[in-house]
Amino acid sequence: HLSDSHQTDIVYDPKLASQLLDEAGYVKKPDGFRFTLNYKTTPSRDGIEMAQIFKSMLAKVGIHLKLDIVDLGVFLSTTKKGMFDLYNSRWIGVADGSIFYRTLHSASGDNRVGYRNLEVDHLIDSSIQTLSVDARRKKLVDVQKIMSRDLPYFPLWFWTNALLIRKDLVGLEPSELSLSGGYQPLTRLRRVSQ
């Protein structure tokens, strides 16, 4: 999680969502649904449970979510080709801005949603060439602000890692584990000699 505290609150409001869909011309049909979206996921328990949650929430506003459960290889190859309406994925172990180049830059083959924003491309390109960590961080925070506005990806949550450490262990900076989500920093823990 590289951002400053500019987090945007997104509220679940089925009544407002239904009203906005009606105003946009997506009225409910006799079957109770406005339209159908295909949702691609893997057969993992987490993937299926998340799909069921989305299906239930969208049904409340009249959107039918058809689940397309495929093995991981098919999931990866078809989402990379853009063969989906919706899918869920995780960004794991984000410790630097390279994830933004891979997923948001218009020249990247991993930009699965086809996102195009010249300002974001410029910020990402500039951040890659910036040696100052603070200056690079500011550019990447600006990328996240634009991403929060444009929503090429819809952030559902971010992980909070809780760690309890005995008082006689030292060597871990408080922010190291939360930045990457990885456990490598734990290898630096050592016991205080008594």
Side-chain angles (χ1 to χ4, degrees):
H1 189 63
L2 297 168
S3 67
D4 285 334
S5 59
H6 72 275
Q7 187 171 342
T8 304
D9 290 332
I10 299 172
V11 179
Y12 176 61
D13 188 341
K15 185 176 179 181
L16 176 60
S18 291
Q19 177 186 334
L20 292 171
L21 286 164
D22 286 339
E23 290 173 8
Y26 296 105
V27 295
K28 287 186 180 177
K29 299 174 187 163
D31 65 1
F33 291 108
R34 302 167 191 277
F35 54 86
T36 297
L37 292 173
N38 291 308
Y39 180 89
K40 193 171 294 285
T41 189
T42 63
S44 71
R45 189 180 109 216
D46 290 350
I48 292 173
E49 287 176 354
M50 188 66 68
Q52 294 293 345
I53 291 168
F54 293 152
K55 184 172 184 159
S56 173
M57 292 175 78
L58 289 173
K60 290 178 182 175
V61 297
I63 299 172
H64 177 252
L65 194 63
K66 181 181 175 196
L67 304 184
D68 185 12
I69 302 170
V70 297
D71 69 67
L72 182 60
V74 172
F75 176 83
L76 293 173
S77 69
T78 56
T79 55
K80 189 169 186 168
K81 293 175 186 172
M83 298 169 60
F84 61 88
D85 290 328
L86 298 170
Y87 77 96
N88 178 33
S89 186
R90 293 184 183 128
W91 291 356
I92 299 172
V94 177
D96 63 41
S98 63
I99 188 72
F100 297 128
Y101 183 88
R102 285 190 50 229
T103 58
L104 297 174
H105 198 286
S106 60
S108 171
D110 286 331
N111 179 349
R112 297 174 183 169
V113 297
Y115 181 65
R116 302 281 185 264
N117 184 310
L118 294 178
E119 183 181 4
V120 168
D121 285 353
H122 173 73
L123 285 166
I124 292 170
D125 290 338
S126 177
S127 74
I128 291 169
Q129 299 170 9
T130 301
L131 297 178
S132 163
V133 172
D134 290 335
R136 184 168 54 249
R137 186 176 191 283
K138 183 189 178 318
K139 293 173 190 293
L140 297 176
V141 166
D142 288 345
V143 167
Q144 290 180 89
K145 287 177 182 176
I146 295 169
M147 183 182 170
S148 295
R149 181 195 69 213
D150 292 353
L151 289 177
Y153 296 92
F154 190 82
L156 299 174
W157 70 84
F158 63 91
W159 296 105
T160 299
N161 292 312
L163 181 64
L164 302 175
I165 301 175
R166 293 179 4 191
K167 289 182 181 180
D168 63 342
L169 295 176
V170 296
L172 183 69
E173 293 296 321
S175 64
E176 287 181 296
L177 195 62
S178 62
L179 177 64
S180 70
Y183 296 108
Q184 184 64 27
L186 295 178
T187 62
R188 291 195 292 279
L189 283 174
R190 64 186 185 284
R191 189 180 305 263
V192 176
S193 58
Q194 295 181 5

